[in-house]
């Protein structure tokens, strides 16, 4: 059974930083073609934030480009999302995903950006 376990969410002030982690259990992240982060704000649909391929290629939504960085540590079977210069509109539940929308999902971690 594959599980993705997110951590690192919390309350942060605008312009602050957070690092989210997603640890995979039951399957190597290297075996997944792509891993990514999505987010869902209250009253909105879940949307894609960033992704990283097996080969390390990264892609970002325009809204986070230049502020967020996705990375992976295959030895720890974990991916990360470093979030800098956070804005109130980044407030959402952040979900880790493996192998695309039809693949695996974590339970989500809340990120709240507020003064």
């Amino acid at each position: 059974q594959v599980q993705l376990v997110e951590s690192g969410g919390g309350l942060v002030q605008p312009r602050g930083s957070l690092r989210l982690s997603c640890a995979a259990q039951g399957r190597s992240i290297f075996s997944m073609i792509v891993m990514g982060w999505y987010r869902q704000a209250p009253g909105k649909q879940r949307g894609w934030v960033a992704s990283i391929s097996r080969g390390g290629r990264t892609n970002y939504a325009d809204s986070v480009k230049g502020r967020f960085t996705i990375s992976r540590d295959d030895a720890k079977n974990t991916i990360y999302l470093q979030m800098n210069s956070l804005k109130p509109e980044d407030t959402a539940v952040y979900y880790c995903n493996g192998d695309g929308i039809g693949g695996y999902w974590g339970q989500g971690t809340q990120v709240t950006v507020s003064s």
Side-chain angles (χ1 to χ4, degrees):
Q1 185 178 358
V2 178
Q3 284 189 308
L4 301 178
V5 182
E6 301 103 334
S7 61
L11 173 64
V12 63
Q13 293 187 339
R15 297 178 297 280
S17 297
L18 279 176
R19 188 177 81 155
L20 305 183
S21 300
C22 170
Q25 301 171 358
R27 183 175 171 183
S28 166
I29 62 171
F30 186 75
S31 71
M32 301 189 196
I33 295 173
V34 63
M35 294 200 71
W37 291 94
Y38 289 70
R39 67 185 180 185
Q40 187 168 17
K44 296 187 176 180
Q45 289 189 329
R46 189 176 300 187
W48 170 72
V49 175
S51 59
I52 185 165
S53 72
R54 181 186 297 166
R57 182 170 181 173
T58 59
N59 287 285
Y60 299 92
D62 287 343
S63 59
V64 307
K65 201 171 292 183
R67 300 188 297 122
F68 290 12
T69 302
I70 188 171
S71 62
R72 60 189 296 153
D73 186 332
D74 291 341
K76 294 183 178 180
N77 219 31
T78 299
I79 68 166
Y80 304 94
L81 186 68
Q82 177 67 43
M83 306 185 294
N84 299 327
S85 301
L86 282 160
K87 305 175 181 180
E89 51 264 42
D90 294 318
T91 295
V93 178
Y94 283 71
Y95 296 91
C96 177
N97 169 266
D99 267 352
I101 293 178
Y104 308 103
W105 292 93
Q107 81 286 353
T109 186
Q110 176 71 46
V111 172
T112 302
V113 185
S114 175
S115 54

